[in-house]
Amino acid sequence: MTRRPPTLSVIVPCFNIEAYVSETVASLGNNVRDDFEFIFVEDRSTKDRTYEALLALTERLEHSRVIRHEHNGGLATARNTGIDAAEGRYLTFLDGDDWLAPGYLARLVESIERFDVDFVRTDHVQVTGLQRNVHRAPEGRRNTPIDPRSSILPVDDTTMVDYPYAWAGIYHRRLLDQGMLRFHDGLRTAEDRPWIWELHRRAESYAVASLHGVFYRRGLTTSLTQIGDLRQLDFFRSFDLVLAELESDPEADRLRKKALRNYCVVIAHQVLDRHRFERSVHAKLRQMAAEALGRMAEQELGEALVGMGEERVHTLRRIRGGMKGVAA
């Protein structure tokens, strides 16, 4: 008897996470349903036996398969490999070193079917050592369909485009059919930024559900956010893509200020976090920051950076030069 297409595809990119993958797979075992499939994409790990661990662990996980890249491609490319292999009506993501609460996926599917929207976003639990803290999606309107565009602004407040985590949600396959949902191949950091902007600009409907079933490990030494090499500088390409894709948007003038603020917040954060980078990488970071800021008009920077804080604005002034009229 031919199995019907699954209701949900869970895409799990994995790279150098052997120490955590058993907990990840066990949590998916607590979410098994006959109409769910689990797709692991092993991105040619270099420091451990992640692939071998996956093969052993998934033998006991129903409706799972492991796809191995011939070459390391980065998180965006690994997710795209999973998307291409997925057959589900809905798609969701889980990073290979994170885990889910029992029964969470069923609740996630129930929420998108109940609201009948293009995608649903959720809260998550941040795990740092033994500490666990709930991080709420920055949208107060809950459990009701919303226009995704209405959650992009205001410029000077945290909004849903500042909450880019792909794994904090579920997405209808029709988004893929409409040219959304895929990531920009090759991005190794900030890959979620152009992705979340496109969803909020182009999708027709979404909802925010108060679910707390995703457990996100933060501060791992294996995480790219903790590694200060050249891969970190991919965030410049990510935000340049956001700005380029905004050019044809009917509300480009309004939305560009928000994107510029996002961009500048990340530039300032990376420059101020200099202890993570080798000297040569930090020098490259400052060079690329100066070039990116130099492409921004001083007037639009002044509007985008209001209230961003004296330290960050001073840092950006020092890198770019000028900006005398930009207030902190």
Side-chain angles (χ1 to χ4, degrees):
M1 181 177 178
T2 303
R3 183 174 176 241
R4 291 186 300 173
T7 301
L8 177 68
S9 298
V10 184
I11 297 162
V12 190
C14 301
F15 180 68
N16 291 346
I17 45 87
E18 181 185 3
Y20 308 101
V21 71
S22 62
E23 189 168 5
T24 303
V25 173
S27 78
L28 293 174
N30 290 328
N31 279 270
V32 164
R33 213 168 77 175
D34 191 52
D35 58 338
F36 291 174
E37 68 171 357
F38 305 100
I39 302 169
F40 297 85
V41 182
E42 205 287 312
D43 197 23
R44 279 286 164 175
S45 295
T46 57
K47 296 182 179 179
D48 61 24
R49 294 170 59 82
T50 294
Y51 178 61
E52 290 77 7
L54 277 172
L55 291 180
L57 291 164
T58 57
E59 283 184 357
R60 301 184 298 275
L61 182 64
E62 295 179 56
H63 312 307
S64 68
R65 50 190 157 139
V66 179
I67 301 170
R68 194 182 200 194
H69 279 169
E70 291 187 11
H71 307 283
N72 176 260
L75 181 56
T77 301
R79 285 178 175 162
N80 285 342
T81 296
I83 289 170
D84 291 341
E87 298 178 358
R89 184 186 319 138
Y90 307 111
L91 289 78
T92 191
F93 303 92
L94 179 67
D95 285 355
D97 50 10
D98 297 335
W99 77 93
L100 303 178
Y104 170 73
L105 292 178
R107 295 192 293 274
L108 197 59
V109 168
E110 188 276 332
S111 68
I112 195 169
E113 292 184 334
R114 174 158 50 99
F115 301 132
D116 191 23
V117 289
D118 288 337
F119 64 101
V120 168
R121 303 284 282 146
T122 71
D123 305 326
H124 71 276
V125 181
Q126 182 173 294
V127 180
T128 307
L130 298 177
Q131 292 186 337
R132 297 184 183 186
N133 297 294
V134 173
H135 282 240
R136 285 174 57 84
E139 173 57 70
R141 296 169 292 176
R142 300 246 159 172
N143 302 315
T144 187
I146 310 171
D147 176 0
R149 275 184 172 263
S150 69
S151 295
I152 296 176
L153 299 175
V155 172
D156 60 350
D157 198 4
T158 302
T159 69
M160 289 301 288
V161 292
D162 303 304
Y163 188 80
Y165 316 112
W167 35 258
I170 184 171
Y171 313 92
H172 199 293
R173 171 170 289 275
R174 62 176 171 251
L175 292 171
L176 186 59
D177 298 337
Q178 294 164 7
M180 291 173 271
L181 215 56
R182 287 178 58 84
F183 297 81
H184 287 275
D185 270 321
L187 283 176
R188 295 172 183 273
T189 191
E191 71 290 328
D192 293 341
R193 295 289 184 160
W195 179 86
I196 196 67
W197 270 89
E198 182 177 50
L199 283 184
H200 277 276
R201 287 193 309 107
R202 294 184 55 201
E204 294 183 0
S205 61
Y206 93 111
V208 180
S210 299
L211 299 176
H212 306 148
V214 182
F215 292 80
Y216 164 55
R217 296 185 197 268
R218 186 167 174 82
L220 299 180
T221 57
T222 54
S223 171
L224 186 54
T225 59
Q226 302 299 309
I227 299 171
D229 65 19
L230 285 170
R231 291 173 294 178
Q232 279 286 348
L233 305 188
D234 273 8
F235 81 85
F236 287 106
R237 181 185 165 211
S238 292
F239 281 102
D240 286 343
L241 284 165
V242 172
L243 292 172
E245 291 168 2
L246 272 176
E247 289 179 1
S248 61
D249 192 280
E251 295 184 285
D253 290 343
R254 293 177 65 234
L255 300 183
R256 179 175 167 83
K257 295 173 187 175
K258 177 68 173 179
L260 288 175
R261 186 182 182 90
N262 289 167
Y263 202 168
C264 290
V265 165
V266 175
I267 289 174
H269 170 75
Q270 297 283 27
V271 172
L272 288 168
D273 199 19
R274 61 175 61 86
H275 70 276
R276 279 197 304 117
F277 297 96
E278 295 179 2
R279 182 173 297 181
S280 61
V281 177
H282 195 260
K284 181 68 172 176
L285 166 63
R286 291 182 67 91
Q287 174 197 331
M288 294 179 72
E291 293 169 355
L293 292 167
R295 294 192 292 269
M296 304 175 193
E298 192 166 325
Q299 180 179 348
E300 64 181 2
L301 277 173
E303 296 173 355
L305 304 188
V306 171
M308 208 173 90
E310 185 173 344
E311 183 182 32
R312 290 190 289 192
V313 172
H314 177 71
T315 298
L316 297 173
R317 280 197 191 115
R318 195 168 64 244
I319 293 172
R320 183 186 185 275
M323 295 174 62
K324 294 180 180 178
V326 177

